[in-house]
Each structure stands twice: as C-alpha cells, then as structure tokens.
C-alpha cells in the first residue's frame, strides 16, 4: 500500500462528510486506504462512517470504538490513544493526516506530496499551506505566511516554531517498523511529539499550494493547549527537555534557549496566579 489517510474523529457529524469527500476525490497514480478511528462519538459520526464504508468497500478501514479510548485525565491528552492506535494501523509507505473536522480541497494534493517525497528521499515530511476558517465567523486566513521556508529541520521545531497544519502532512511511515519514542506518551502536544520523531529522520519540505481547510472551533483541543494553561506549559517544557535528551544533546544550545523562555513564561504565570 502506497499511502494511508489517517483520520481521528470524535463528534464530527457536521464535518465528516466533507472530510471523506475530500479524501475520496483524490486523483492518484497509486492505491490508498482511509484509516478512520471514531473515539466513541455521541453523535451520528459512526453512522455516517458506516454508510461511506458500505458505499466504498475496500478503501475505508474503520475502527468504531464503543468506548472512548482516553485518557480521560488530564484533559490535555484527550483523544491520544485513538490517534496512536490509528497511526499504528496505517499500512501505507506514506501517511497523510486529516482530522475529522478538516478537509482537503485540491484533488491532486496526495499526488503532489507523494511525488515530492518519492523524488526527495532525504525528506521525511511534506506539508502545504491551508486556509484557516473559524466557526465564530472570524475572517479566514492562510495557515502559512508568504515567507514560509521551503525547507525546515529539527532545529526549527526545537526553537518552538510550529508551521504545519496537521491536515497538510504527508510523511514517511517509520512507525510501521518502529515504536514511538519513550517520552511520547508523556507529551500532551501529540502533533509535536510525532513531528519531532519524523524530523529526526529527515528534512521537512513545504509546498505553497493551498490544498485544504483547517477548521477552528470552540470544541477544539487548541483551546486547551493554550499559553495561559499552566499545566500544559509545564508539560510542553518537559517535552522539549525530553526531546533534547533523546537527541543525545546534539541541539543543546537551541534546547537551552527554548527551556529558558518557558521558565520565564511559567514564572510570570505563577506570579499572576499567586496574586489573584
């Protein structure tokens, strides 16, 4: 199998049609599968997935959990186990990520990214620009700025820069044969944890084409993963520290600067908390 589309979903009945249509319209010279995991949604999401599965047998592999895979606590880790199980279930040489509330708009998206990775074996990941839209009606905008670098590396990530919409990733599926890093299970920022492990294997390439939509809404985890959430920031600092050790200290100068910024931010938040 050349590629797996990995789709974690939970209570996305309003959006999952659009996501699946965006995947099914892909025009490719290779076979791909859609590996979708519903984390015990309480709405009609599982029924919609079953309907698509019946209509497109052999393309969709659905994991419809009757119980939420958790963990329930801490809240910052919500959905983690569903995602990790799905990533391991992906059989493709490449994996394209797309959460159930995002969607793709370019029918050649997968072909373009697979061509890029096939032609550039020293790259581990290919991402692209996305349109960001808001449930509350705020103006939409592009995810990446016009000056987004064409090539990024581990160094960029360790500087605490995030420049990839998750639904824009296609990566080489190293998790077919390798386990997740030991520190991964402790990191609340799951996207970061995966990307650190991918960036350890190769460069990150960027295509400026706008090929999908990233939806931001009130139920999203990005609201829990906020820079005013003390527990999340403490966890994030710990993640950078753990990754630095995992990389055998090769990026010590960069990691030290990042940890220092977190220490300053945490100190100011704790000060605010104690004065309230």
């Amino acid at each position: 199998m050349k590629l797996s589309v990995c789709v974690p979903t939970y209570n996305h009945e309003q959006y999952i049609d659009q996501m699946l249509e965006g995947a099914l319209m892909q025009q490719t010279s290779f076979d791909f599968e859609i590996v979708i995991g519903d984390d015990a949604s309480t709405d009609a999401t599982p029924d919609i997935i079953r309907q698509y599965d019946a209509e497109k047998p052999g393309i969709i592999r659905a994991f419809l959990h009757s119980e939420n895979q958790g963990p329930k606590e801490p809240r910052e880790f919500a959905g983690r186990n569903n995602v990790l199980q799905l990533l391991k279930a992906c059989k493709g040489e490449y994996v394209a990520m797309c959460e159930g509330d995002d969607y793709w708009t370019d029918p050649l998206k997968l072909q373009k990214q697979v061509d890029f990775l096939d032609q550039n074996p020293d790259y581990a990941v290919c991402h692209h620009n996305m349109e960001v839209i808001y449930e509350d009606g705020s103006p939409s905008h592009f995810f990446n700025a016009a000056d987004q670098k064409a090539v990024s590396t581990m160094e960029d990530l360790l500087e605490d820069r995030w420049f990839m919409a998750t639904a824009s990733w296609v990566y080489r599926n190293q998790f077919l044969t390798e386990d997740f890093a030991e520190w991964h299970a402790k990191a609340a920022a799951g996207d970061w944890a995966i990307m650190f492990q991918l960036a350890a294997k190769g460069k990150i390439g960027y295509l400026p084409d706008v090929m999908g939509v990233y939806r931001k809404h009130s139920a999203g985890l990005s609201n829990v993963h906020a820079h005013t959430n003390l527990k999340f920031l403490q966890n994030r600092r710990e993640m950078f520290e753990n990754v630095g050790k995992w990389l055998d200290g090769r990026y010590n100068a960069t990691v030290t600067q990042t940890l220092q910024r977190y220490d300053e931010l945490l100190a100011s938040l704790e000060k605010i908390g104690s004065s309230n």
Side-chain angles (χ1 to χ4, degrees):
M1 179 67 62
K2 187 71 169 178
L3 182 139
S4 300
V5 179
C6 182
V7 189
T9 188
Y10 176 72
N11 283 357
H12 288 151
E13 67 177 358
Q14 294 173 270
Y15 315 119
I16 195 66
D17 275 303
Q18 207 164 19
M19 184 276 133
L20 287 169
E21 290 295 338
L24 290 166
M25 75 171 180
Q26 292 298 305
Q27 298 169 17
T28 62
S29 61
F30 49 83
D31 290 338
F32 65 89
E33 61 176 1
I34 300 172
V35 184
I36 187 164
D38 180 78
D39 206 4
S41 290
T42 56
D43 64 7
T45 304
D47 296 330
I48 297 167
I49 294 167
R50 285 188 193 98
Q51 186 178 340
Y52 272 90
D53 192 14
E55 291 170 3
K56 302 285 182 180
I59 297 176
I60 296 172
R61 288 170 54 218
F63 298 85
L64 305 178
H65 300 297
S66 56
E67 290 183 21
N68 189 280
Q69 300 299 289
K72 290 181 180 175
E73 292 293 334
R75 196 171 153 230
E76 291 82 2
F77 284 67
R80 163 64 56 82
N81 294 338
N82 181 41
V83 174
L84 294 184
Q85 290 169 26
L86 271 188
L87 292 175
K88 277 295 188 184
C90 290
K91 297 175 180 175
E93 176 188 346
Y94 297 121
V95 174
M97 292 293 294
C98 192
E99 293 178 348
D101 52 348
D102 300 326
Y103 61 98
W104 300 331
T105 53
D106 185 337
L108 297 177
K109 170 204 144 69
L110 293 180
Q111 188 69 55
K112 290 176 188 177
Q113 290 182 279
V114 165
D115 287 348
F116 177 89
L117 290 169
D118 277 349
Q119 292 159 17
N120 296 279
D122 53 335
Y123 284 74
V125 186
C126 176
H127 71 113
H128 59 77
N129 211 345
M130 301 269 288
E131 183 183 4
V132 183
I133 64 170
Y134 293 86
E135 186 186 55
D136 65 6
S138 299
S140 66
H141 58 85
F142 293 136
F143 190 94
N144 294 102
D147 62 354
Q148 171 61 43
K149 293 198 294 186
V151 184
S152 301
T153 64
M154 177 68 81
E155 193 84 35
D156 295 289
L157 293 173
L158 290 172
E159 288 173 355
D160 200 10
R161 296 181 189 172
W162 188 252
F163 43 86
M164 292 164 282
T166 309
S168 77
W169 302 1
V170 171
Y171 66 81
R172 295 187 195 280
N173 190 7
Q174 67 191 55
F175 304 117
L176 260 179
T177 55
E178 295 180 22
D179 288 331
F180 301 112
E182 176 271 331
W183 52 263
H184 186 145
K186 304 172 194 169
D191 287 359
W192 280 84
I194 295 163
M195 193 52 64
F196 276 128
Q197 292 167 83
L198 298 174
K201 299 284 190 179
K203 294 182 284 191
I204 301 167
Y206 172 66
L207 304 178
D209 310 34
V210 179
M211 297 195 278
V213 171
Y214 168 43
R215 204 188 302 269
K216 293 202 81 167
H217 50 89
S218 54
L221 256 188
S222 57
N223 296 292
V224 179
H225 292 182
H227 274 235
T228 51
N229 181 334
L230 190 64
K231 281 186 179 177
F232 179 69
L233 285 180
Q234 289 167 337
N235 181 277
R236 197 177 177 91
R237 185 203 180 282
E238 182 186 343
M239 175 184 71
F240 279 100
E241 190 171 27
N242 287 337
V243 171
K245 291 173 186 170
W246 177 69
L247 293 166
D248 298 322
R250 292 194 301 276
Y251 298 87
N252 265 354
T254 306
V255 172
T256 299
Q257 286 185 333
T258 297
L259 294 179
Q260 191 175 341
R261 285 197 300 274
Y262 273 93
D263 288 338
E264 290 166 2
L265 186 56
L266 286 163
S268 66
L269 276 178
E270 284 165 354
K271 192 175 177 183
I272 292 166
S274 63
S275 64
N276 287 343

